[in-house]
Amino acid sequence: MRALWAFAELAQPRCRWFLAGWDIDVDRAVVDLEVLNLLHAGSEHAVLTHTLRLEEARAGRERLLALAGELAR
């Protein structure tokens, strides 16, 4: 969900704390994700990272929309 928001924000910046109003050159086709897993604090599994490309995020978006539709039914 955060990655989808980040891609939307990169495409059309609105949040001043994220990108809007900043003169920063960024790759709008890639988002680096980092998740803190507190159940594994102190181990190599505590921080999980992944680089997500826009194409992958679009596919994930479609899966989330399908799942939301199933849950609504």
Side-chain angles (χ1 to χ4, degrees):
M1 294 299 288
R2 287 183 184 159
L4 295 175
W5 174 85
F7 279 117
E9 186 65 24
L10 287 169
Q12 186 178 11
R14 292 170 289 202
C15 294
R16 291 196 146 313
W17 59 268
F18 185 73
L19 194 62
W22 293 81
D23 187 23
I24 301 173
D25 187 32
V26 295
D27 184 349
R28 297 182 190 300
V30 177
V31 169
D32 290 324
L33 302 172
E34 185 173 275
V35 176
L36 177 61
N37 187 338
L38 294 176
L39 292 175
H40 294 284
S43 79
E44 72 271 11
H45 303 291
V47 179
L48 307 172
T49 61
H50 181 72
T51 298
L52 187 68
R53 300 203 65 73
L54 182 55
E55 301 82 35
E56 293 176 277
R58 286 182 176 145
R61 179 183 179 276
E62 297 306 317
R63 287 194 304 273
L64 283 172
L65 289 173
L67 179 60
E70 290 177 28
L71 290 171
R73 285 190 290 275

